[in-house]
Amino acid sequence: MRIDIISVIPDFFASTLEKGLLGIARRKGLAEIHVHNLHDYGLGKYQQVDDAPFGGGAGMVIRPEPVFACIEKLLAERSYDEVIFMTPDGQVFDQKRANRLSQVRNLIILCGHYKAMDERIRRTLVTMELSVGDVVLSGGEIPALMVMDAVVRLIPGVLGDGESALTDSFQSDLLDCAWFTRPAEFRGMKVPDVLLSGHHEKIERWRQENARERTIERRPDMLGKESEEE
């Protein structure tokens, strides 16, 4: 998979792309990630990428020319499955979208900044708009990292245990169950006996029941979605 990120602060990604899961995926050759500085396509001596909004108002708006120049250059080099714009008013990013995006070959992620992005960019170039929740951040860089991490970890070979991602929360429309490790008793708190039994069928049944109980307690709205899909 190849991911191209467009940002006005490209250095933001440096450390994360070298370490952790994204760094592992890159070193294994399973994910190719390139960060493009939008200022390289800016206008004039100062490589301007933003301007005051027509009609007045607070804040600055990213101009269309630099974004069109950058994305059109990338599109001339290869085809992309999606051009994603990270924005608070986009569709909420969830596990199902992560699963689908993990199966494509090429993605562009456009990070917003300042007050807004010129609407002509969104109408003409963007094919998918994603939000990570009902909150406004200073830019799309943090949401872009969230999307990349959620997607790349699903690529076969990235995780040491390929089954791990398949048992995460949301993969089965339920939250994940509780997990325990050694010691079997810690400060008077004991691990459920069934997990020490070695009886795999009973353990799996306990995990499924526990996952459902946790979902009812913490995210009952997810069970509503589960019944709608059925």
Side-chain angles (χ1 to χ4, degrees):
M1 170 182 284
R2 175 181 171 120
I3 302 175
D4 288 88
I5 310 165
I6 303 172
S7 169
V8 298
I9 47 173
D11 291 345
F12 177 92
F13 297 94
S15 176
T16 308
L17 295 183
E18 292 299 323
K19 302 182 183 299
L21 181 142
L22 294 176
I24 292 172
R26 295 178 75 199
R27 287 190 290 275
K28 286 185 175 181
L30 298 173
E32 187 179 345
I33 302 173
H34 300 268
V35 183
H36 306 272
N37 187 347
L38 188 60
H39 285 285
D40 290 342
Y41 301 85
L43 306 175
K45 178 180 178 181
Y46 298 104
Q47 297 178 302
Q48 181 185 3
V49 299
D50 63 319
D51 214 327
F54 281 125
M60 303 292 279
V61 178
I62 292 183
R63 296 178 61 125
E65 301 98 323
V67 179
F68 270 77
C70 182
I71 292 181
E72 287 177 345
K73 179 179 183 296
L74 291 172
L75 292 175
E77 296 171 352
R78 68 190 55 81
S79 62
Y80 286 85
D81 299 277
E82 299 285 359
V83 178
I84 300 171
F85 175 46
M86 305 307 306
T87 173
D89 59 352
Q91 296 179 314
V92 177
F93 181 63
D94 58 16
Q95 193 62 44
K96 287 184 175 61
R97 289 189 173 87
N99 290 342
R100 186 173 75 79
L101 290 174
S102 72
Q103 300 174 40
V104 307
R105 290 187 58 81
N106 299 316
L107 294 173
I108 293 175
I109 302 180
L110 175 61
C111 300
H113 214 75
Y114 309 117
K115 174 65 175 177
M117 186 85 61
D118 188 289
E119 187 66 18
R120 291 166 289 189
I121 298 168
R122 300 175 69 167
R123 292 181 180 179
T124 306
L125 297 174
V126 173
T127 64
M128 177 183 290
E129 298 189 343
L130 293 179
S131 166
V132 294
D134 295 340
V135 62
V136 177
L137 303 176
S138 59
E141 286 76 17
I142 292 175
L145 280 175
M146 291 175 62
V147 169
M148 280 195 295
D149 189 279
V151 169
V152 169
R153 70 190 304 276
L154 296 172
I155 298 173
V158 172
L159 293 179
D161 181 355
E163 187 179 346
S164 177
L166 300 178
T167 59
D168 288 335
S169 290
F170 309 110
Q171 286 289 13
S172 60
D173 295 312
L174 296 174
L175 297 179
D176 200 2
C177 65
W179 292 86
F180 299 87
T181 188
R182 293 180 177 83
E185 182 175 347
F186 177 69
R187 295 184 178 179
M189 296 178 284
K190 296 181 178 180
V191 172
D193 290 338
V194 65
L195 300 180
L196 308 176
S197 68
H199 195 299
H200 297 297
E201 185 176 336
K202 290 182 178 179
I203 290 172
E204 182 58 29
R205 190 182 309 125
W206 180 90
R207 285 175 173 165
Q208 291 177 359
E209 291 172 355
N210 184 259
R212 191 169 185 84
E213 289 171 1
R214 287 163 74 93
T215 305
I216 291 172
E217 176 187 351
R218 304 179 183 197
R219 288 289 305 276
D221 58 296
M222 290 177 61
L223 295 176
K225 293 178 182 178
E226 183 185 38
S227 61
E228 287 176 9
E229 291 177 359
E230 291 175 355

